């Protein structure tokens, strides 16, 4: 039996800021490296991660894939961080993000706009606790075929100023244009994020997505391959929009 998993994610922003209120989470080991800073090259992102003690040479599986830009490489690397060591990721980066919440407002240092969330810090605290008890899982390997499918869809979303998973026949039809898959297939869409690391964090946090389906896909140990398409969506001008495809097994045509 084969399964298809689909989720999408959007953010709401406003140009205001208030002081930070700290939830009750241990932040003694959180990162001060600001790895979510916009505009980091893959080299600079990896260098900051090394300062936090990550084995970047192993985790940066897209480093030498010529068909990705730096942000696309970075979002794959960010996926592999949380899958390789969920507890460390929680302690360094989820705790850091929790510290930036003030009730329902989220403000990342150096970013002029802030996010207005629906649930505030609650899902981030929930994520922290979940990751502290999550076992490590396999790394995601880049797939050119899955990337072609992801780019096909992100182009469709941008050109039509729309959102969702159903364009061009849906996920299965898009992926099967470029190869064959087996067991399980998934797709996440994240809109308007200021960096790749930020996109990964907020898919994991999953504000107002009450089944936390983005998080479930990212932490699904049955996925082995990943493809990423990135563009700037006219409906979400605060940053990049990412379409991310996942598969257990994929053979390119």
């Amino acid at each position: 039996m084969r399964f298809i998993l689909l989720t999408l994610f959007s953010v709401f922003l406003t140009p205001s800021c208030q002081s930070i209120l700290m939830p009750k989470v241990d932040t003694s080991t959180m990162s001060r490296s600001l790895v979510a800073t916009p505009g980091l090259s893959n080299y600079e992102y990896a260098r900051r991660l090394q300062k936090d003690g990550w084995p970047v040479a192993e985790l940066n599986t897209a480093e030498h894939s010529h068909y990705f830009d730096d942000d696309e490489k970075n979002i794959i690397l960010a996926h592999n961080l949380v899958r390789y060591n969920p507890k460390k990721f929680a302690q360094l980066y989820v705790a850091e993000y929790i510290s930036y919440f003030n009730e329902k407002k989220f403000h990342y240092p150096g970013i002029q706009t802030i996010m207005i969330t629906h649930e505030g810090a609650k899902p981030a605290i929930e994520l922290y606790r979940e990751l502290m008890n999550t076992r490590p899982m396999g790394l995601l390997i880049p797939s050119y075929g899955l990337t072609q499918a992801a780019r096909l869809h992100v182009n469709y979303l941008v050109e039509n100023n729309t959102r969702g998973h159903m364009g061009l026949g849906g996920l299965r039809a898009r992926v099967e244009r470029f190869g064959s898959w087996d067991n399980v297939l998934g797709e996440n869409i994240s809109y308007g994020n200021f960096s790749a690391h930020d996109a990964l964090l907020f898919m994991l946090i999953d504000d107002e997505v009450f089944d936390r389906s983005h998080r479930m896909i990212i932490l699904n140990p049955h996925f082995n391959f990943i493809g990423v398409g990135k563009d700037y969506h006219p409906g979400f001008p605060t940053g990049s929009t990412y379409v991310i495809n996942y598969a257990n097994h994929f053979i390119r045509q």
Side-chain angles (χ1 to χ4, degrees):
M1 183 177 295
R2 302 201 293 177
F3 299 91
I4 298 178
L5 306 173
L6 303 169
T7 60
L8 58 89
F9 181 72
S10 61
V11 298
F12 303 88
L13 299 148
T14 184
S16 62
C17 179
Q18 294 184 3
S19 61
I20 293 168
L21 178 65
M22 281 291 295
K24 293 182 179 179
V25 168
D26 179 13
T27 59
S28 61
T29 60
M30 76 180 195
S31 176
R32 272 80 173 178
S33 297
L34 295 180
V35 297
T37 298
L40 295 181
S41 68
N42 184 244
Y43 172 79
E44 179 60 25
Y45 181 49
R47 194 170 71 88
R48 295 192 185 194
L49 294 172
Q50 284 179 320
K51 292 180 180 179
D52 284 336
W54 295 98
V56 173
E58 177 182 355
L59 305 183
N60 199 10
T61 56
E63 179 182 9
H64 302 296
S65 298
H66 62 86
Y67 49 87
F68 291 125
D69 70 13
D70 282 318
D71 287 328
E72 291 167 335
K73 291 179 180 180
N74 288 351
I75 203 167
I76 294 173
L77 176 51
H79 276 75
N80 283 335
L81 298 176
V82 69
R83 291 170 66 92
Y84 177 80
N85 193 332
K87 183 176 180 179
K88 181 183 179 76
F89 188 93
Q91 292 172 322
L92 289 176
Y93 308 125
V94 180
E96 178 193 350
Y97 261 46
I98 289 169
S99 76
Y100 302 147
F101 278 94
N102 176 22
E103 296 182 350
K104 293 187 177 181
K105 296 182 175 69
F106 175 88
H107 180 216
Y108 186 83
I111 303 296
Q112 292 183 348
T113 55
I114 69 168
M115 179 187 298
I116 303 301
T117 68
H118 294 273
E119 298 182 76
K122 177 185 174 182
I125 296 170
E126 168 198 295
L127 170 64
Y128 177 90
R129 292 171 178 164
E130 179 178 335
L131 291 180
M132 293 295 286
N133 294 288
T134 298
R135 293 181 178 180
M137 61 202 77
L139 303 183
L140 295 171
I141 305 301
S143 162
Y144 184 56
L146 290 177
T147 295
Q148 288 177 294
R151 288 179 176 167
L152 184 69
H153 191 48
V154 77
N155 291 341
Y156 170 86
L157 297 177
V158 169
E159 289 170 3
N160 293 278
N161 193 14
T162 189
R163 55 184 292 184
H165 297 279
M166 297 313 297
L168 303 171
L171 172 61
R172 178 170 180 170
R174 293 192 300 270
V175 168
E176 290 179 353
R177 294 186 186 196
F178 302 103
S180 59
W181 62 279
D182 197 13
N183 191 19
V184 63
L185 184 68
E187 180 171 89
N188 280 337
I189 306 175
S190 184
Y191 299 87
N193 297 99
F194 60 80
S195 72
H197 190 91
D198 177 69
L200 190 278
L201 255 297
F202 271 98
M203 285 188 290
L204 285 168
I205 291 169
D206 248 3
D207 179 62
E208 208 188 23
V209 182
F210 296 111
D211 64 355
R212 311 301 188 211
S213 50
H214 294 84
R215 185 188 306 172
M216 290 172 59
I217 288 178
I218 293 166
L219 299 177
N220 187 329
H222 299 293
F223 286 128
N224 299 310
F225 296 96
I226 187 171
V228 180
K230 185 202 79 171
D231 208 335
Y232 292 95
H233 195 296
F236 301 89
T238 53
S240 298
T241 289
Y242 298 87
V243 173
I244 308 164
N245 290 162
Y246 312 80
N248 171 261
H249 184 67
F250 184 82
I251 299 176
R252 183 181 166 199
Q253 287 181 347

